[in-house]
Amino acid sequence: MNRCISESADYLPVLSEAHASLTHEVTAVDERGRHSTIHIPAERPLTVYVDTREIVTLMTLGGAPEALTLGYLRNQRLVRSLEDIVSIQVDWSVDAVAVVTRNGIADVEERTAKKVVTTGCGQGSVFGGLMDEVDRITLPEDARLPQSVVYRIVETIRTQQSVYKQAGSVHGCALFSNAGKLLYFVEDVGRHNAVDAIAGLMWLDGMEGGDKVFYTTGRLTSEMVIKGAQMGIPFLLSRSGTTQMGHMVAERVGMSLLARCSGKHFLLLAGHERLVFDLDVLMPIPAPRLDYYPC
């Protein structure tokens, strides 16, 4: 996990620093009967307790469990302020995380009663109405992204060291500046967990999203778009595609969606006015002239 330390909030909860192996060795036998040792991603349950009340069990790689817990609580709108949280303590010996709040969560039973199970790996879920807060989200109207930065982001992801390159079967999410600088990179067994972990890191570092770009290897479903909007990010990029509802939410909040990002190719599906095209970046390098000889 890459982390960019920026100006922090005035108050930070006490966090554990839990560590766990991100890969696991297994013996594989190929089609010719040959044995080999390969790495596969870890997957472990993390049960979230808030003030001793069980909230949810997340299946996770385990690379950023404290940030994942914090981002989950934020994106589910269960906690509104960082100052409301006293501590987040992960204990892998019991596969659990204990969250202590300052004053509890008001109406926690009512707020966690309605759950929408969303699409995609990891069976993401959102408490309350999926669209409850979409209409109250405002993204910066003047946010723009040069085409050249899109290519810089795609190339950075391509060369990023990752669990995926070693073991496969995980999703990666990343946060970039609008100049293409990598700020955070998180992998997990589900893209929902990875985006929540980045939301948690942004919250801890007091980082705003208005001048940021979010990248994911997974599909841009409605939940991913809503979470990006909740983080205040006007640009979402994916090497995969989007869904109808993801597209609808993006248009509703004025977010740019760029899908099928690979090499120099992408499909801009929403928020067309935000992308600054620069066709020069697509021009091939001119062939050397043959009518003269250099000295």
Side-chain angles (χ1 to χ4, degrees):
M1 176 188 68
N2 289 346
R3 184 174 180 189
C4 173
I5 303 298
S6 61
E7 190 69 24
S8 298
D10 293 334
Y11 173 86
L12 293 176
V14 177
L15 304 180
S16 59
E17 296 182 0
H19 298 283
S21 175
L22 302 184
T23 62
H24 179 71
E25 287 189 355
V26 297
T27 300
V29 182
D30 69 12
E31 69 283 353
R32 297 180 181 273
R34 296 173 298 194
H35 289 68
S36 62
T37 299
I38 66 169
H39 290 86
I40 59 175
E43 184 180 15
R44 48 181 60 89
L46 181 66
T47 301
V48 179
Y49 293 88
V50 177
D51 299 325
T52 73
R53 178 185 178 86
E54 183 177 338
I55 299 296
V56 69
T57 296
L58 305 170
M59 301 305 299
T60 178
L61 188 69
E66 295 86 3
L68 168 60
T69 301
L70 181 60
Y72 180 85
L73 295 175
R74 182 187 189 187
N75 282 337
Q76 301 292 347
R77 304 179 296 280
L78 294 175
V79 176
R80 298 286 183 176
S81 170
L82 201 58
E83 295 185 1
D84 293 337
I85 301 176
V86 176
S87 64
I88 299 176
Q89 300 293 309
V90 175
D91 185 350
W92 284 125
S93 69
V94 291
D95 294 327
V97 52
V99 180
V100 177
T101 67
R102 195 165 300 280
N103 299 304
I105 297 176
D107 304 319
V108 62
E109 293 186 10
E110 179 181 346
R111 295 171 64 184
T112 58
K114 183 180 179 182
K115 184 182 295 186
V116 178
V117 177
T118 59
T119 58
C121 60
Q123 291 269 311
S125 62
V126 177
F127 288 118
L130 192 63
M131 305 293 290
D132 283 353
E133 298 194 359
V134 169
D135 290 332
R136 292 195 287 270
I137 294 173
T138 301
L139 299 178
E141 294 184 1
D142 59 348
R144 297 292 184 270
L145 184 66
Q147 185 176 4
S148 59
V149 174
V150 174
Y151 295 149
R152 189 175 305 142
I153 288 171
V154 172
E155 178 63 15
T156 298
I157 292 295
R158 187 186 70 82
T159 58
Q160 175 71 21
Q161 292 297 315
S162 64
V163 173
Y164 179 83
K165 290 180 179 179
Q166 180 184 16
S169 303
V170 296
H171 277 295
C173 289
L175 188 74
F176 288 85
S177 73
N178 59 5
K181 179 183 178 182
L182 178 62
L183 303 175
Y184 308 122
F185 179 77
V186 175
E187 292 175 292
D188 214 315
V189 292
R191 63 186 185 276
H192 307 281
N193 287 350
V195 67
D196 281 345
I198 288 179
L201 292 172
M202 290 177 67
W203 211 12
L204 286 170
D205 290 339
M207 185 175 293
E208 299 294 330
D211 58 348
K212 305 299 188 299
V213 182
F214 192 89
Y215 178 93
T216 177
T217 59
R219 297 184 303 280
L220 297 172
T221 60
S222 57
E223 182 179 9
M224 293 294 288
V225 176
I226 289 172
K227 287 182 177 182
Q230 288 176 326
M231 295 153 68
I233 301 172
F235 303 98
L236 262 63
L237 279 61
S238 173
R239 74 179 183 198
S240 186
T242 188
T243 65
Q244 178 184 6
M245 193 169 181
H247 181 263
M248 181 270 289
V249 175
E251 289 196 320
R252 195 158 159 179
V253 299
M255 178 186 290
S256 292
L257 288 189
L258 287 87
R260 306 297 180 189
C261 297
S262 177
K264 293 297 179 76
H265 175 71
F266 62 80
L267 294 174
L268 178 59
L269 302 177
H272 299 181
E273 72 283 355
R274 293 188 183 277
L275 187 67
V276 180
F277 283 92
D278 180 8
L279 297 183
D280 289 346
V281 300
L282 295 176
M283 296 295 290
I285 299 174
R289 291 173 57 185
L290 302 179
D291 57 349
Y292 73 99
Y293 294 92
C295 296

